Amino acid sequence: MARKNAVWGIDIGICSIKALRCVPGSTPGELIAERFDFIEFPKMLNQPEVDAEEQIQEALRQFLSRNDVLGDRVAVSVPGQSGLSRFFRPPPVDQKTLPDIVKYEVKQQIPFPIEDVIWDWQKLGGVEVDGRLIDAEVGLFAMKRDGVFRAMKPFNDAGIDVDIVQLSPLAVFNYACHEIFKRDVTKPDATTGEGEGSGKSVVVMSIGTDTTDLIVTNGSRLWLRNIPVGGNHFTKQLSRELKLTHAKAEQLKKNLRQAEDPRQLLQAMRPVFNDLVNEVQRSITFFRSLDKTADISQMVLLGNTAQLPGLRQYLGSQLEIDMLKVDAMHRLSGPGVVDQGPFQENLLSFAPAYGLCLQAANQSRLKTNLLPREIQVERIIEAKKPWILAAVSFLMLGAAVGLLFAATRWYRVSENFAVEGKTWAQAAQAVDTQSSTSKRLIQTDEEQKAKLAGLLRISEELTTSSKNKAQWIELYSAIKQALPVDPRIGDQPADPELVPFEDRKLFYVDHIESAFLKNIGIWEAAILPLYNSQANAKIEKQVAESAAETTEPPPATATPAVVDPAAPAANVTAASLTGAGWVIELRAHHFHNSIEKRRKNDSNLLFVLKTAVEHIRSGTVVYPGNPEEGGGEFTYSDIGVFLPTVVRSPELPKEVTITMADEEAANAAPASSGGKAGSGGKYKAARTDFTLQFAWQPRTPSERVAARAKRLKAEEAAAAQ
């Protein structure tokens, strides 16, 4: 009986068919060989008089007579020169957009109509940094559609369902990753990304009959080239130099060590040796021009031609590279297969079949598949047909059983079925009667609930305290008391000629906004550095005023000395706020920016800090009423106002033009000097816009009275000390 998950790798060459059957082992990366087959063709397929298709079909019939592939996954190879390989490096992009870039590159790099080729791609190497793929390479592999179907025809005629079609050099690459680099695809290397190798590259030469597949890889990335020199060129050179038949020359090449004069034979084949060395040297030089950091350390020879005496030594000495000898497949186990004589004799030619088995067992580095999409879909459907049939059968069986139970249940609930002398019809009538009574009572209850809710709302409206509304009114009163007052300006518009805009000690409030926070401490943590820096600004202002009394005044364009919020602040005691609260934002402007005020450091931001901010910090607010019931004088902290901070203010005021209203312009005299006023009641002034924020945790009259008493007690204790 075949074991589950068995896979076949079948490599059809010009001289023979190599087939290997494996099953995954119990540990990741382990592969166990169960069977192998090596079938030589009577004649090489590239000879003119040979019917290649007939020989392949006959070899496959011989293969099927000795092996069973039914139920196993089958992977086959096609020659590297039959396909197309391209590599490109995408820019650093999101990995999700990589397929779109690949589709564009396919149209640019494949020199055939896209509908006439079968192609696949895979990302090689690269790491993902901040969601972007960096230093990656993409391999594009394609083959003409008619070439794929021509390669599959012998298998279709033999009744072998092919699951994977892979280029032979890519199968060799999978073999090299598994055997030479001993790479486990289930455990990517976390340091280099996707299991990339150590950085040292190896040249893998798979010498075929007519061509040689040259692969340069570091275990993650690869570069490949097809060299038009193969084992048959050595045979042709012998036949030409020594005037031998092709069969005799092939026999001498295979048994070179037993020849009468091996040196003569090697000398006859020397031109082919040189051609092969030159092609390999050109390929390595070109690869190094593409990747100047590559460190090519070793070379591996595969294929039966690699057993030619002197070839490994000649390549190593001419290329000055270490030659790695392959004498076993160390990660492939399976007594009765790997130790068999025919397998050992042709060990080097089984590398493509081994690589195909790795891919079919999902243990390969490269997973591209040139099997036509329509056939892949057909394979999936065929694999699911037994399960679908079984599922439908179970559904039908379940439906039949369910129908039987339903019929039994239906009879037990029919109107004529009686239990204890009462039928279902009589029971249903009794239920309807009770249901009508229940609905009537529920409706009456809902009506009574609605009436009760209305009465409760009226009661709440009649008894609810207006303290919340009063608290906001008191807050607005506190804000008004904090704003500066210019006694020269009354309720009527002031004459700009008598009270210039730039000399008015007055704020113009544009907007008041509020925001409720469940945790006011979050706002406090964000605003505290700026609050402390503005507290220091008062100290800076006092120093500047002292200096102004003994030195020349600063230029008119000088700006107030305000401490940078990012600079270290002096120790400023501020409330540590917890719980819920409001953030009140006041947007306003003023024109208190005359040159004289600027010299005295009493303009722009400092004017705001000196008046409103200073008043909220250390001033008081007065409420009418009995002191025991919430009236009298309080500090702003008593009423729950903390941390007044200017959150936005320019470094310098901006020049604006003020247009007076018609009735105001009628009372304003025309400007006499300084360009203050123009025609039509227009005046120029320096305007400072600012935004002031502070925290407010509303307190009832009794709470603020208690806060005031606690503060006064603490002040008395401090004075006594």
Side-chain angles (χ1 to χ4, degrees):
M1 175 182 282
R3 293 179 60 178
K4 292 183 179 180
N5 301 323
V7 297
W8 279 96
I10 303 177
D11 175 34
I12 298 181
I14 293 179
C15 295
S16 60
I17 291 180
K18 283 78 67 177
L20 185 65
R21 184 178 191 265
C22 299
V23 293
S26 57
T27 59
E30 181 184 5
L31 207 63
I32 302 174
E34 287 194 337
R35 296 184 64 84
F36 80 98
D37 209 339
F38 183 85
I39 302 173
E40 286 191 282
F41 298 126
K43 293 183 178 180
M44 288 191 296
L45 302 182
N46 58 355
Q47 295 184 9
E49 71 279 4
V50 173
D51 186 349
E53 184 176 343
E54 176 60 30
Q55 285 208 89
I56 293 175
Q57 289 180 352
E58 178 60 31
L60 287 177
R61 284 194 291 268
Q62 183 180 351
F63 167 74
L64 290 176
S65 67
R66 300 194 295 232
N67 305 281
D68 183 15
V69 299
L70 186 63
D72 298 342
R73 282 175 58 83
V74 177
V76 301
S77 67
V78 292
Q81 65 269 24
S82 302
L84 181 69
S85 302
R86 294 288 186 271
F87 301 91
F88 73 94
R89 290 178 178 268
V93 294
D94 187 347
Q95 192 156 273
K96 295 180 181 178
T97 64
L98 188 58
D100 297 330
I101 297 177
V102 171
K103 291 178 182 178
Y104 173 80
E105 289 291 337
V106 166
K107 296 178 182 179
Q108 302 298 316
Q109 300 203 28
I110 295 182
F112 305 107
I114 199 66
E115 61 274 6
D116 293 342
V117 299
I118 298 172
W119 62 277
D120 203 352
W121 68 279
Q122 184 166 329
K123 176 176 68 68
L124 302 170
V127 294
E128 189 170 346
V129 179
D130 296 333
R132 289 184 173 271
L133 189 63
I134 297 177
D135 196 28
E137 188 174 40
V138 173
L140 297 176
F141 310 104
M143 188 173 176
K144 297 194 73 172
R145 181 175 288 271
D146 56 353
V148 174
F149 281 99
R150 187 164 52 251
M152 292 178 58
K153 185 177 184 304
F155 296 95
N156 294 334
D157 294 341
I160 300 174
D161 291 335
V162 176
D163 298 286
I164 297 173
V165 176
Q166 184 60 279
L167 295 176
S168 180
L170 301 184
V172 173
F173 168 73
N174 285 333
Y175 156 81
C177 291
H178 193 76
E179 278 289 330
I180 299 174
F181 291 94
K182 294 181 173 55
R183 185 181 182 280
D184 185 357
V185 297
T186 64
K187 296 180 179 179
D189 187 342
T191 59
T192 56
E194 291 209 9
E196 194 165 345
S198 62
K200 293 184 179 296
S201 298
V202 174
V203 179
V204 182
M205 288 179 56
S206 179
I207 306 175
T209 303
D210 279 342
T211 61
T212 295
D213 291 322
L214 185 142
I215 302 109
V216 183
T217 177
N218 65 348
S220 176
R221 291 175 174 167
L222 80 151
W223 179 83
L224 56 90
R225 180 188 174 222
N226 186 263
I227 297 175
V229 178
N232 199 32
H233 289 75
F234 292 96
T235 304
K236 289 180 180 179
Q237 184 67 21
L238 277 178
S239 176
R240 185 167 45 251
E241 290 292 328
L242 302 181
K243 311 300 182 186
L244 302 173
T245 63
H246 189 276
K248 181 63 175 177
E250 180 70 18
Q251 185 68 21
L252 285 175
K253 185 188 72 172
K254 289 183 178 180
N255 301 280
L256 186 64
R257 297 183 187 278
Q258 288 78 31
E260 295 180 359
D261 189 0
R263 182 179 297 274
Q264 180 188 6
L265 300 180
L266 289 174
Q267 189 65 30
M269 292 187 291
R270 188 176 183 83
V272 183
F273 278 83
N274 293 334
D275 290 343
L276 183 60
V277 168
N278 291 335
E279 289 292 338
V280 174
Q281 185 65 58
R282 284 177 52 204
S283 300
I284 294 176
T285 302
F286 180 73
F287 173 75
R288 282 175 170 157
S289 69
L290 297 178
D291 188 356
K292 295 181 173 54
T293 63
D295 180 11
I296 299 178
S297 59
Q298 292 177 321
M299 175 179 285
V300 178
L301 297 184
L302 300 175
N304 281 338
T305 305
Q307 301 179 26
L308 186 65
L311 178 60
R312 180 179 291 103
Q313 294 81 354
Y314 185 76
L315 288 173
S317 61
Q318 293 296 317
L319 298 174
E320 296 181 352
I321 192 171
D322 292 337
M323 304 299 294
L324 179 63
K325 184 177 182 180
V326 178
D327 53 7
M329 294 182 178
H330 301 285
R331 302 189 70 187
L332 180 68
S333 60
V337 175
V338 297
D339 54 357
Q340 292 293 310
F343 186 84
Q344 287 293 326
E345 292 171 4
N346 300 279
L347 178 69
L348 299 181
S349 65
F350 271 93
Y354 187 6
L356 293 171
C357 286
L358 288 169
Q359 182 172 353
N362 199 28
Q363 295 185 10
S364 63
R365 172 71 180 89
L366 203 64
K367 304 181 186 300
T368 55
N369 188 359
L370 296 182
L371 185 71
R373 301 295 180 190
E374 59 270 22
I375 298 180
Q376 293 186 38
V377 173
E378 182 182 345
R379 293 279 188 274
I380 295 173
I381 295 174
E382 287 291 335
K384 293 182 180 296
K385 276 184 178 179
W387 297 101
I388 295 174
L389 182 60
V392 171
S393 301
F394 277 114
L395 286 175
M396 293 181 65
L397 178 61
V401 174
L403 181 61
L404 177 62
F405 279 103
T408 304
R409 295 296 181 186
W410 176 84
Y411 172 72
R412 291 181 63 83
V413 297
S414 62
E415 293 185 351
N416 298 326
F417 186 80
V419 177
E420 297 181 357
K422 182 178 289 188
T423 64
W424 283 109
Q426 295 171 339
Q429 184 178 3
V431 169
D432 290 341
T433 302
Q434 294 296 326
S435 177
S436 300
T437 303
S438 175
K439 289 179 180 179
R440 178 173 54 80
L441 294 175
I442 291 174
Q443 183 178 0
T444 303
D445 183 65
E446 293 296 333
E447 293 173 354
Q448 295 297 324
K449 286 182 178 179
K451 291 180 180 180
L452 177 61
L455 295 174
L456 290 175
R457 283 195 299 272
I458 295 173
S459 174
E460 184 177 357
E461 290 292 335
L462 293 175
T463 58
T464 298
S465 171
S466 60
K467 62 180 181 180
N468 291 336
K469 299 178 181 177
Q471 286 178 341
W472 282 97
I473 295 173
E474 291 171 349
L475 176 66
Y476 293 144
S477 174
I479 293 174
K480 188 175 187 307
Q481 294 181 48
L483 301 179
V485 177
D486 194 330
R488 299 171 296 173
I489 301 175
D491 297 334
Q492 297 298 324
D495 187 348
E497 295 296 333
L498 300 178
V499 186
F501 283 102
E502 63 268 20
D503 197 38
R504 295 183 180 185
K505 296 182 178 181
L506 191 67
F507 288 170
Y508 297 86
V509 178
D510 301 316
H511 184 73
I512 296 179
E513 186 61 82
S514 62
F516 180 76
L517 300 178
K518 292 183 178 180
N519 184 3
I520 195 68
I522 297 176
W523 176 85
E524 178 192 23
I527 207 72
L528 198 54
L530 183 58
Y531 172 83
N532 288 337
S533 68
Q534 291 178 5
N536 289 342
K538 180 179 178 182
I539 301 172
E540 296 289 339
K541 175 176 68 64
Q542 293 170 351
V543 172
E545 289 177 349
S546 299
E549 296 177 358
T550 57
T551 60
E552 292 295 326
T557 58
T559 59
V562 180
V563 175
D564 184 359
N571 293 330
V572 177
T573 303
S576 179
L577 305 180
T578 58
W582 295 84
V583 176
I584 307 299
E585 181 175 277
L586 178 73
R587 301 177 196 168
H589 64 274
H590 69 81
F591 301 100
H592 195 73
N593 297 304
S594 65
I595 295 177
E596 179 183 357
K597 302 301 180 184
R598 297 181 194 180
R599 286 196 182 106
K600 293 182 178 182
N601 287 327
D602 193 24
S603 65
N604 206 23
L605 174 61
L606 284 177
F607 178 60
V608 182
L609 298 178
K610 179 180 178 181
T611 55
V613 173
E614 184 65 24
H615 187 83
I616 296 175
R617 283 175 177 162
S618 58
T620 59
V621 59
V622 179
Y623 289 139
N626 190 333
E628 299 298 329
E629 297 178 357
E633 187 176 12
F634 299 89
T635 64
Y636 279 79
S637 61
D638 292 341
I639 66 172
V641 174
F642 306 99
L643 301 175
T645 307
V646 179
V647 296
R648 281 187 293 273
S649 178
E651 293 183 359
L652 292 174
K654 63 179 180 180
E655 296 294 330
V656 297
T657 301
I658 304 172
T659 303
M660 301 291 290
D662 293 340
E663 61 272 15
E664 296 177 11
N667 297 327
S672 59
S673 63
K676 293 182 180 179
S679 60
K682 295 184 177 179
Y683 293 84
K684 293 183 178 180
R687 169 172 167 164
T688 295
D689 290 88
F690 64 92
T691 301
L692 174 65
Q693 289 184 0
F694 59 83
W696 179 47
Q697 292 182 304
R699 292 180 178 175
T700 63
S702 60
E703 289 175 341
R704 67 177 178 237
V705 169
R708 178 176 60 186
K710 183 178 180 180
R711 174 177 55 81
L712 293 175
K713 185 177 180 180
E715 291 174 355
E716 292 175 359
Q721 289 179 356

